[in-house]
Amino acid sequence: MAARTPDPRVAHEPENVRSRLANPPAESILGDLMLGGVDGVVTTFAVIAGSAGGRLPAATIIVLGVANLLADGFSMAASSYLGTRSRQQAIERARLDEARQIDAFPEGERREVREIFAHKGLSGDLLDDVVARITADRHVWIDTMMSEELRLNDAVVRPLRAATATLGAFVLCGLMPLLPFLLGGKAYPLGVSAALALASFFALGAGKGLALSQNWFWSAAITALIGGSAATLAYAVGVMLRGMSVVGGV
């Protein structure tokens, strides 16, 4: 059954508008899921393809693949946490700076508010009234400077949630190309691994397209093309290294 589209009349009732403005939404985790998922598949398949291209035993491929899932997965999660936390701290710092400027140079900040709304086409008594009303409430004044001058929004930033989403997507998607080796498949495990990697890219792209109300097939195809190119490069490097080891007598 198709999802029901929310009634825009209900969404724009005064109490619902006030509720949304008072409770800004959290940042979407879609970017974290895509980052973790694509990177998980690419790096795990890179290990598998490079190892298989170098004709390493299946047991070694499994060890390297699992090590990649754990080490790189936690590394990605840590990077996601630190990056998201940095954005959060930057917003907090900007808010504090605006508060200090309002306290130290109120007339200068009022002139900035006036310029902002004059640029939007307000003038005369209306402009005077808007400036007076905004600068009469310190919280509204700071919010206005954050959104209009600095272009920073108050979407709720959740570093731990971003890190968890990145780690979960990395491990789940990165596990896919490793499955044929974990399950002990004897018939073309690398080929099956490549097919699962491509299917994972396709599924990630399709999911992103559906979440953003885009053409899911086109989104899936682009993701599969980009991810598949990275996987192909990894296999080519493995084959090249194998050739170098043979030439070197290793």
Side-chain angles (χ1 to χ4, degrees), residues 98-247:
E98 282 300 326
R100 292 191 190 102
Q101 290 182 47
I102 287 173
D103 292 337
F105 310 105
E107 288 308 314
E109 291 295 307
R110 284 191 182 89
R111 283 195 293 272
E112 288 187 4
V113 173
R114 176 175 292 276
E115 286 299 319
I116 288 170
F117 287 94
H119 186 71
K120 293 178 181 293
L122 277 64
S123 61
D125 291 341
L126 178 58
L127 176 59
D128 293 338
D129 186 50
V130 168
V131 173
R133 288 177 180 272
I134 288 175
T135 57
D137 186 317
R138 190 169 184 273
H139 182 75
V140 172
W141 194 350
I142 295 171
D143 284 346
T144 301
M145 302 308 290
M146 289 288 291
S147 61
E148 298 293 340
E149 180 187 20
L150 303 180
R151 299 292 193 268
L152 294 175
N153 63 57
D154 281 333
V156 179
V157 180
R158 295 177 179 169
L160 186 58
R161 190 181 74 155
T164 302
T166 302
L167 176 61
F170 186 100
V171 173
L172 179 62
C173 297
L175 185 63
M176 294 297 105
L178 194 59
L179 282 179
F181 297 91
L182 290 172
L183 298 178
K186 300 297 183 182
Y188 310 110
L190 181 59
V192 176
S193 178
L196 288 174
L198 193 62
S200 299
F201 291 136
F202 195 89
L204 282 166
K208 185 194 76 170
L210 291 172
L212 298 178
S213 299
Q214 298 174 340
N215 184 311
W216 67 269
F217 183 83
W218 181 244
S219 176
I222 292 175
T223 305
L225 177 63
I226 295 173
S229 298
T232 301
L233 177 61
Y235 182 74
V237 170
V239 172
M240 181 181 67
L241 291 176
R242 182 186 69 193
M244 292 173 62
S245 64
V246 171
V247 171

Side-chain angles (χ1 to χ4, degrees), residues 25-33 84 87 155-157 161-162 165 211-212:
E27 278 193 345
S28 171
I29 61 171
L30 181 59
D32 301 304
L33 293 174
T84 307
R87 291 199 304 276
V156 179
V157 180
R161 190 181 74 155
L212 298 178

Side-chain angles (χ1 to χ4, degrees), residues 41-79:
V41 177
V42 169
T43 58
T44 303
F45 187 75
V47 170
I48 293 170
S51 301
R55 293 184 178 177
L56 297 179
T60 302
I61 294 176
I62 291 173
V63 170
L64 293 175
V66 171
N68 170 79
L69 281 177
L70 297 178
D72 279 6
F74 278 105
S75 175
M76 285 288 297
S79 297

